Amino acid sequence: MEMFLYIALFAPLVGSLFAGLFGASKKKLFVGIISSFLIFVSFVASSILLSYVLKTGSSIQVEMMTWMATGDLYIPFGFVVDQISVTMMMVVTLVSTVVHVYAIGYMDHDKGFNRFFSYLSAFVFSMMILVMSDNFAGLFIGWEGVGLCSWLLIGFWYHKDSATWAANEAFIMNRIADLGMLIGIFLIYWSTGTLQYAEAFAAMPALDTETLTWIGIFLFIGAMGKSAQFPLHTWLADAMEGPTPVSALIHAATMVTAGVYLVVRSHELYALIPHVGLFIASLGAFVAIFAATMALVNRDIKRVIAYSTLSQLGYMFAAAGLGAYWVALFHLMAHAFFKALLFLGAGNVMHAMHDELDPFKMGKLGKSMKATMILMTLASVALAGIFPLAGFFSKDLILEVAFIDQHFIIYGVLLLTAGLTAFYSFRIIALIFHGEDRHSALGHHPHEAYKFMLWAMSPLLILAVISGFLFKGGFFEMVTQLLPATEYHIESAVTYWTITIGTQLFVILAIYLAYKKYMSKHIKVPDGTSSMEKSFKYKLLINQYYIPQFYEKYLVKPYRELSTIFWQKIDNKIIDASVDGIAKVIYTTGEKTRGMQSGNLSTMLKWMVAGLVILLSLAVVFGLAARHSVEITTILSGLGV
């Protein structure tokens, strides 16, 4: 099995290097096929490892080599395939395979086709390191790797100022959060003497609550940045500047789920500090409804789906914070399938509409894009949590967890969010595919995506439909060999069915209201003149609660001005001036003393005599000083000092 572990881990790296070798080549299709095939090889190897873990119930751990060994510090390049990591491996490689194949068609006419596949495969490799490492140091390597690759991919179209700005924003905001995570890792080593998961978690019960609390807080700060939790959330929607396959990969199965994976992996720590867990759950519930409200009015289909991702991450953190770690992992997995499907469907719409993103400028696309309409509609049904699709099982479980644990405020917030999710999901479905044709007047002639792109999306559709049934049984038995095996069932059948049916009716009502409002044949492109657009609520939501403006005015601008002052007053006038002054003195001295090296014998003899006089003078001075020093010492000794 060790061989399959290495294949799963390194096949994406080989694909990245291969695509990089052909960076300037015109052999695009060849590079795309080989890179996609290598990701598929990683998926097959992960599937074999999953089969082994399911069959034996044991994990596979390998130590490839020693990375650091100094004093008591020992960090290997070690990897583990257990019930948690193999789940993430399957999700990452499956979604990545679909995205790679889809990207062959999506990026077909892009000059940076080969470079894109090199970055995309490197992203998958970094994520595999993150989830497969058996220690916090290895996890941090993968953590920073996905951060770097996300910067490359979000800013892939670097000729666009908006893309480079978004890439820098994501990179910098994540580096701020990663400082917190790094402090947490230092605290783990300081307190336990190791960074290996098994050894560190085994030592934590002996630590005091204060130390554990700080470790949990700092690790979660890192998770907040990577999973874009408030207040480090603004980069997520702006990251939509990258190509759509990047959005599907980052938002569905890789980067943004890394924070949830960290909390689930560290469940033994968070079980010891339930007060931190309650904070995580509360923040998750807040983020869920916070992001959902912004999605209600946004006019960019990719940003709406991005806010949806942010909202669903809130659900995952709510479950993990309440101790339902396997439920959080379950929703992470189910969400990956239908969210990737939504993003790729949005990519089809963008291609058909020549990169138009405003759903108000579309309408009636279902006539020419039936396959994409079906795919996105079913993905939205799963996202809304309608029975029997995957989202129903995972989201319903999270609601049950909050209800059973009697966190009724969290339950109420998440329930309201479920209704908002259904509304904004079918708002864009209604605006894009139904109602009146608003795109022909703008000169658009939509067409369906390549057939192979649609076929590539089909595995995601199948899993979005059936994964709730597949994972509700075998998934629980597998992951609860490592995670707390708490089953969440409302004891009263009447209460259970009342809540379940009530939730379904609430969600269906939200869908009905969305269709009723946005399928009208009289929908107009908003231009800021309607009473709704002039209202305070609308402006508050469309401007993201003015949080980006707050950051710009009170954080970014003062920091920029302070940096300018330090640059002009300290760097230029003190540091640079000091360095330049020293250089100038040395240069001037050299210029003045250059005559000593003239080669003229008479001149050289004069300098020799001058030097001899200086040396003799110094000898006399030091001799007299030494003599007087001895005399003074003798006098002081005689005085008894």
Side-chain angles (χ1 to χ4, degrees):
M1 288 294 117
E2 185 176 335
M3 178 185 68
F4 291 109
L5 184 152
Y6 288 129
I7 291 173
L9 177 62
F10 289 109
L13 175 62
V14 175
S16 176
L17 295 175
F18 178 82
L21 288 174
F22 291 89
S25 172
K26 294 182 179 180
K27 297 179 179 180
K28 296 192 294 186
L29 182 61
F30 176 67
V31 169
I33 291 173
I34 296 298
S35 297
S36 302
F37 174 73
L38 287 167
I39 299 296
F40 178 71
V41 168
S42 180
F43 167 68
V44 172
S46 299
S47 302
I48 294 170
L49 293 168
L50 172 65
S51 176
Y52 174 82
V53 171
L54 282 171
K55 186 182 296 184
T56 64
S58 59
S59 61
I60 306 163
Q61 190 154 3
V62 299
E63 185 176 316
M64 192 170 70
M65 64 180 75
T66 299
W67 179 29
M68 292 184 187
T70 174
D72 294 331
L73 177 64
Y74 177 71
I75 304 175
F77 274 119
F79 303 97
V80 63
V81 176
D82 58 18
Q83 288 79 1
I84 298 175
S85 62
V86 78
T87 301
M88 293 296 297
M89 289 165 63
M90 286 296 297
V91 174
V92 170
T93 54
L94 173 60
V95 175
S96 298
T97 300
V98 171
V99 170
H100 271 72
V101 175
Y102 177 91
I104 294 174
Y106 190 89
M107 302 295 291
D108 183 38
H109 302 295
D110 199 286
K111 294 180 180 179
F113 183 94
N114 295 351
R115 177 169 59 91
F116 176 80
F117 273 86
S118 181
Y119 295 166
L120 202 64
S121 295
F123 192 102
V124 179
F125 171 63
S126 298
M127 191 66 190
M128 293 296 278
I129 290 179
L130 191 157
V131 301
M132 293 176 69
S133 290
D134 67 352
N135 61 81
F136 283 100
L139 178 143
F140 191 72
I141 293 174
W143 195 274
E144 295 305 303
V146 294
L148 171 62
C149 293
S150 68
W151 178 74
L152 293 170
L153 288 166
I154 295 168
F156 180 77
W157 289 317
Y158 53 83
H159 55 278
K160 295 168 57 179
D161 290 339
S162 57
T164 55
W165 188 90
N168 290 337
E169 180 191 21
F171 190 80
I172 293 168
M173 193 162 286
N174 274 274
R175 298 296 73 72
I176 293 169
D178 291 352
L179 175 60
M181 181 181 176
L182 202 56
I183 293 172
I185 292 174
F186 286 153
L187 284 174
I188 290 171
Y189 180 74
W190 183 271
S191 304
T192 66
T194 181
L195 292 178
Q196 298 297 117
Y197 291 147
E199 297 171 11
F201 293 138
M204 284 182 181
L207 301 179
D208 60 273
T209 303
E210 185 178 358
T211 300
L212 292 172
T213 299
W214 283 114
I215 292 173
I217 289 172
F218 281 117
L219 287 183
F220 182 63
I221 289 173
M224 287 170 63
K226 199 65 75 183
S227 295
Q229 296 297 283
F230 179 87
L232 304 175
H233 65 282
T234 54
W235 70 267
L236 192 71
D238 293 333
M240 295 301 97
E241 288 292 337
T244 300
V246 174
S247 304
L249 196 57
I250 289 178
H251 287 247
T254 54
M255 182 170 167
V256 297
T257 61
V260 180
Y261 168 77
L262 175 62
V263 175
V264 172
R265 173 59 76 181
S266 305
H267 67 276
E268 294 176 67
L269 163 65
Y270 287 103
L272 299 171
I273 44 175
H275 53 291
V276 176
L278 182 58
F279 168 76
I280 293 172
S282 302
L283 180 64
F286 167 74
V287 170
I289 194 167
F290 171 72
T293 55
M294 291 188 287
L296 291 174
V297 300
N298 203 276
R299 289 176 52 186
D300 181 321
I301 56 176
K302 283 180 68 178
R303 282 179 175 262
V304 171
I305 302 172
Y307 286 130
S308 171
T309 299
L310 183 55
S311 181
Q312 296 307 304
L313 286 166
Y315 272 92
M316 297 173 207
F317 277 115
L322 295 176
Y325 303 104
W326 73 268
V327 177
L329 192 61
F330 182 31
H331 189 51
L332 182 157
M333 189 164 38
H335 168 264
F337 303 136
F338 52 75
K339 186 52 60 69
L341 187 60
L342 270 175
F343 268 115
L344 298 183
N348 291 349
V349 173
M350 285 178 63
H351 255 204
M353 294 293 293
H354 306 290
D355 293 332
E356 178 59 63
L357 287 165
D358 188 348
F360 283 93
K361 297 179 181 179
M362 300 178 188
K364 212 172 184 177
L365 289 186
K367 186 176 181 180
S368 53
M369 301 182 70
K370 287 184 179 179
T372 298
M373 179 183 70
I374 293 170
L375 291 169
M376 289 191 70
T377 301
L378 288 174
S380 297
V381 171
L383 174 61
I386 301 292
F387 180 85
L389 274 69
F392 166 78
F393 295 98
S394 58
K395 288 175 72 173
D396 190 62
L397 268 172
I398 295 173
L399 290 171
E400 284 184 45
V401 169
F403 187 86
I404 291 168
D405 286 352
Q406 298 184 354
H407 293 289
F408 297 118
I409 295 177
I410 292 176
Y411 170 80
V413 170
L414 294 179
L415 179 61
L416 178 58
T417 302
L420 297 178
T421 301
F423 184 88
Y424 68 66
S425 298
F426 283 89
R427 167 181 174 263
I428 61 171
I429 295 295
L431 286 170
I432 294 171
F433 297 110
H434 304 290
E436 190 178 21
D437 178 349
R438 297 180 297 277
H439 57 80
S440 296
L442 301 173
H444 296 302
H445 303 286
H447 55 84
E448 189 58 275
Y450 296 131
K451 286 187 177 181
F452 81 87
M453 294 169 68
L454 297 173
W455 280 109
M457 295 164 66
S458 59
L460 297 176
L461 173 64
I462 294 169
L463 288 168
V465 173
I466 68 170
S467 59
F469 295 104
L470 289 177
F471 293 122
K472 193 172 175 63
F475 174 80
F476 175 79
E477 280 75 19
M478 182 183 75
V479 298
T480 51
Q481 294 178 39
L482 285 182
L483 300 173
T486 308
E487 293 193 56
Y488 298 93
H489 297 296
I490 297 174
E491 294 182 3
S492 171
V494 175
T495 304
Y496 172 77
W497 285 110
T498 301
I499 291 175
T500 302
I501 295 173
T503 302
Q504 290 290 287
L505 291 175
F506 179 51
V507 168
I508 291 169
L509 175 63
I511 294 173
Y512 168 75
L513 292 174
Y515 269 109
K516 184 178 179 181
K517 182 175 178 63
Y518 292 104
M519 276 189 65
S520 170
K521 292 184 178 181
H522 303 292
I523 290 289
K524 296 180 180 179
V525 180
D527 58 4
T529 59
S530 69
S531 59
M532 184 191 75
E533 293 172 279
K534 292 179 180 179
S535 69
F536 172 74
K537 292 179 182 178
Y538 180 87
K539 290 181 179 179
L540 187 67
L541 296 179
I542 202 69
N543 287 291
Q544 305 174 58
Y545 292 92
Y546 294 98
I547 292 173
Q549 293 87 333
F550 175 85
Y551 287 169
E552 177 66 28
K553 184 175 181 179
Y554 295 105
L555 295 178
V556 177
K557 188 177 179 181
Y559 181 80
R560 186 186 298 118
E561 291 175 353
L562 186 64
S563 298
T564 302
I565 292 171
F566 273 87
W567 165 54
Q568 293 177 342
K569 305 296 183 183
I570 298 177
D571 195 35
N572 284 347
K573 294 188 176 181
I574 298 177
I575 298 175
D576 283 358
S578 300
V579 173
D580 292 344
I582 293 170
K584 187 175 181 180
V585 168
I586 294 173
Y587 181 80
T588 304
T589 303
E591 284 288 313
K592 297 295 184 182
T593 57
R594 184 178 294 176
M596 295 171 62
Q597 302 290 333
S598 65
N600 185 289
L601 182 60
S602 177
T603 302
M604 293 174 70
L605 286 172
K606 289 178 182 178
W607 281 110
M608 287 175 65
V609 171
L612 182 60
V613 170
I614 292 171
L615 287 174
L616 290 173
S617 300
L618 288 174
V620 171
V621 170
F622 283 118
L624 291 172
R627 180 178 176 183
H628 287 300
S629 176
V630 172
E631 291 177 354
I632 292 169
T633 302
T634 303
I635 294 169
L636 291 174
S637 299
L639 295 172
V641 178

